[in-house]
Amino acid sequence: MLPYSMLDLSPIPEGSSARDALASTLDLARHAEDLGFTRYWLAEHHNMPGIASAATAIVIGQVANATKRIRVGSGGIMLPNHAPLVVAEQFGTLATFFPGRIDLGLGRAPGTDMGTARALRRTLQASDDFPADVEELIGYLSPAQPGANVRAIPGEGTEVPVWILGSSLYGAQLAAHFGLPYAFASHFAPQALDQAVTIYRSRFQPSRHLERPHFMLAVNAFAGEDDAEGAYLRTSMQQAFANLRSGRPGPLPRPVGNIHTVLDPQMLAMVEMALSCSVTGGPETIRSQLASLIERYQPDEIMFNGNIHDPAARKASFTRTVEALKDVTGAMSPQAAV
């Protein structure tokens, strides 16, 4: 029994607009709800021509309004970019509109380049304050304290669930220390995954938020009718990642028949390492790869990402992925998750 969730960056496919991408996000969220996904998360990125979810809290509100039951949240809000009080007010307002349906995942990276970070009024020292900022933010979302001079209204008493997100050992240590659920960014930075999971579980301190560790594994999914189609769908994300690493971010490229014709061996090897926590292929291959990942990491929850150029193919890929996951583990009702 394993809950499954979705991460959406609102990718802007080549030949489409940000408006198209956001419309696809709403459509995909409704599809995810129909498929029984537990939660639907949006991620904060800035100055990215291929990502439309920069104003993350606003997109979360639109997704929550377009759906009925699925939890909606951030995967994540890059806390050093914001004052904790502002985040508490934003997510407290969302939780007031949509009680019991809002999640707040927090990251420590800027989610952009340094020039854009400065335009966001973020200082280079802001990430050093991350633990204190997390604690301050949780305080604003907690029940009212007598004599508090600064209060988040709305926000106070909403107890919006806070998650720590990370791609290094730092986030694992922090989530364990605060007794919070932890999501690892294995969909693009899996290098420290094994060690981070071990640290989080071994050092976890029970808290009023969580009695035992809750680890979410992020996995890219490219599920086609057969292995060839799965590999074809994956080429868009491979190209996008290579473009980003080369300092040329842009819209999500169209898929290609042979990735070797557009990426040199050295770049492709780097991309494949970054995207190694993925399942790619037809139904049988997807089942086998999912079973291997679940057996190795024993996640408490799995979150699927998959930047696919054609929105219809993207929906079909997630449908096949869920079918494969159910074959491997069975399904869990959304209400049973954290």
Side-chain angles (χ1 to χ4, degrees), residues 274-292:
L275 303 182
S276 61
C277 195
S278 300
V279 293
T280 306
E284 184 176 347
T285 302
I286 295 290
R287 283 194 295 271
S288 174
Q289 292 174 345
L290 278 174
S292 178

Side-chain angles (χ1 to χ4, degrees), residues 167-303:
S167 59
S168 68
L169 306 185
Y170 182 93
Q173 294 167 344
L174 191 67
H177 173 73
F178 282 132
L180 296 172
Y182 178 55
F184 190 87
S186 37
H187 61 298
F188 73 89
Q191 289 83 357
L193 173 58
D194 293 79
Q195 193 175 358
V197 175
T198 299
I199 287 175
Y200 172 63
R201 286 175 170 155
S202 64
R203 300 186 185 181
F204 181 85
Q205 299 179 27
S207 69
R208 67 182 182 86
H209 310 288
L210 204 59
E211 293 182 358
R212 58 183 181 273
H214 188 94
F215 162 65
M216 181 153 62
L217 176 70
V219 177
N220 298 302
F222 309 95
E225 291 186 354
D226 53 30
D227 286 357
E229 186 187 7
Y232 176 72
L233 297 174
R234 179 185 171 99
T235 61
S236 291
M237 193 164 178
Q238 289 171 308
Q239 294 175 80
F241 204 89
N243 291 341
L244 181 62
R245 286 295 175 91
S246 302
R248 298 179 288 105
L252 184 65
R254 291 180 171 86
V256 296
N258 184 351
I259 192 64
H260 296 277
T261 64
V262 292
L263 297 185
D264 64 57
Q266 184 177 359
M267 177 60 74
L268 182 57
M270 183 276 296
V271 170
E272 293 297 77
M273 180 178 295
L275 303 182
S276 61
C277 195
S278 300
V279 293
T280 306
E284 184 176 347
T285 302
I286 295 290
R287 283 194 295 271
S288 174
Q289 292 174 345
L290 278 174
S292 178
L293 285 171
I294 292 167
E295 181 180 7
R296 178 172 179 175
Y297 296 108
Q298 297 292 307
D300 301 290
E301 187 168 344
I302 192 165
M303 176 162 276

Side-chain angles (χ1 to χ4, degrees), residues 94 96 140 151 160 229:
L94 288 168
T96 301
Y140 289 135
R151 299 162 61 191
V160 176
E229 186 187 7

